[in-house]
Amino acid sequence: MKRSLILFTVVLTALLAGCAAPSVVSNVTVFHTLTGTETNKTYMVEATPEQANNLEFSSYVTLLNQELQHVGYVMVNKDPSLKVSLNYGTTQAVASSLQPAPIYGPYGFRHGPYYGSGWQTSVDTVFMHHMEVSISRIADGKNIYTVRSRLMSPNPELSISMDYLMDSAFQNFPGKNGSTETITLPVHQ
């Protein structure tokens, strides 16, 4: 009976592990001087000359506005107390990993060290998508909040990752000053 219960537990655990939902992992770094007592949270988004009239930038500002409103900030067209800037981009990189190599044995092709010394290095092109949001006071120009979010993707399209970058950046707003944390979000369906 005890052996059957252990076997059932092992099988159930394996099945549940196979059903884990896909996720996106981001690294988020935060620096700020926010105290939580700030009262005037009105802001405007400042575009660089390259970002002005850029449809991609406008799309990302919509995501940014949703996140800022969610944490209590209000976008205004007249007399804001804060200025928000948004920068983003993608860097191509090469990643390598050690993986079991297929080995032909008495039972056909197999993977893993148990069928020989079959390890091989796999080299892949990956893309580091990154985003940075900074908030400054207009009155004195002092930067009061900066958050950077980064994630690796096999896809070069930043637009696919931007929603995850933005969501992870504001997940634990304002966050611990000077910290970097790993945020895991479920893949949107």
Side-chain angles (χ1 to χ4, degrees), residues 15 18 31 34 43 46 54 59 66 74 77 86 92 95 110-112 121 123 148 151 166 171 173 177 186:
L15 287 173
F31 296 96
L34 299 175
Y43 72 93
E46 181 179 60
N54 180 304
S59 177
Q66 291 170 356
V74 178
N77 294 324
L86 170 64
Q92 184 175 330
R110 299 285 187 250
H111 294 273
T121 301
V123 178
R148 286 190 295 270
L151 65 83
M166 201 66 76
Q171 193 73 29
F173 183 85
N177 183 39

Side-chain angles (χ1 to χ4, degrees), residues 119-139:
W119 291 97
Q120 66 187 13
T121 301
S122 173
V123 178
D124 297 307
T125 300
V126 294
F127 300 90
M128 172 68 79
H129 299 301
H130 55 90
M131 179 216 59
E132 179 176 303
V133 174
S134 292
I135 302 174
S136 302
R137 287 195 300 250
I138 291 178

Side-chain angles (χ1 to χ4, degrees), residues 26-31 146-150 172 174-183:
S26 304
N27 288 319
V28 177
T29 304
V30 177
F31 296 96
T146 299
V147 62
R148 286 190 295 270
S149 182
R150 299 162 305 284
N172 296 322
K176 182 179 175 191
N177 183 39
S179 68
T180 299
E181 65 178 313
T182 301
I183 304 290

